[in-house]
């Protein structure tokens, strides 16, 4: 018993609709992939290249009504801005938040700032720095 093939002869009737759809999907996928790479590059440049002031918490000392925070700030010589710090209590509630301003021509600043709290804090967290 023989079975007949339902397949069309190769290259006789042009491309099938599946082949055209596959090619269209490949083109759309390539374009979307290229756009995603460009978008990631733009946001990466904007975040890293345009950030003129950044800081790092080196350490902190806790007392009943304040937290002494040692900050290391790096900025462009002509940049001015502020960094926001907060402290939380043991239960996770915020007990203090303040902005500390950094001006001048120095590109690296080591400074100990005092964050006043309404109760005993257990941490000092840098929320971010912003240039003017």
């Amino acid at each position: 018993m023989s079975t007949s093939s339902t397949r069309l002869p190769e290259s006789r009737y042009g491309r099938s609709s599946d082949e055209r759809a596959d090619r269209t999907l490949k083109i759309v996928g390539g374009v979307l992939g290229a756009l995603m790479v460009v978008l990631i590059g733009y946001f990466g440049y904007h975040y890293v290249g345009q950030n003129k002031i950044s800081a790092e918490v080196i350490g902190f000392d806790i007392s009943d009504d304040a937290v002494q925070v040692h900050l290391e700030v790096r900025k462009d010589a002509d940049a001015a801005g502020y960094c926001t710090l907060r402290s939380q209590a043991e239960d996770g509630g915020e007990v203090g938040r303040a902005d500390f301003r950094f001006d001048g021509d120095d590109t690296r600043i080591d400074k100990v700032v005092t964050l006043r709290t309404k109760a005993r804090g257990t941490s000092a967290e840098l929320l971010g720095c912003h240039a003017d």
Side-chain angles (χ1 to χ4, degrees), residues 109-132:
I109 302 168
D110 259 343
K111 189 172 183 179
V112 176
V113 296
T114 302
L115 175 61
R116 300 280 176 207
T117 59
K118 60 184 178 184
R120 185 171 180 82
T122 58
S123 67
E125 180 181 5
L126 177 66
L127 295 179
C129 295
H130 306 280
D132 293 338

Side-chain angles (χ1 to χ4, degrees), residues 37-81:
V37 167
V38 167
L39 199 65
I40 289 172
Y42 171 77
F43 285 122
Y45 170 76
H46 182 68
Y47 180 75
V48 175
Q50 301 297 321
N51 196 4
K52 296 184 178 198
I53 183 169
S54 64
E56 179 180 359
V57 174
I58 303 299
F60 57 90
D61 292 321
I62 299 170
S63 66
D64 287 336
D65 63 348
V67 178
Q68 299 278 331
V69 183
H70 180 195
L71 279 178
E72 180 181 303
V73 179
R74 291 168 302 284
K75 64 182 194 70
D76 291 346
D78 60 344

Side-chain angles (χ1 to χ4, degrees), residues 8-62:
L8 297 174
E10 293 285 327
S11 71
R12 186 168 187 177
Y13 298 103
R15 292 185 177 176
S16 71
S17 62
D18 287 341
E19 289 174 344
R20 280 189 292 262
D22 288 346
R23 184 167 187 250
T24 303
L25 285 175
K26 286 179 185 177
I27 291 171
V28 168
V31 168
L32 289 176
L35 284 174
M36 185 64 93
V37 167
V38 167
L39 199 65
I40 289 172
Y42 171 77
F43 285 122
Y45 170 76
H46 182 68
Y47 180 75
V48 175
Q50 301 297 321
N51 196 4
K52 296 184 178 198
I53 183 169
S54 64
E56 179 180 359
V57 174
I58 303 299
F60 57 90
D61 292 321
I62 299 170

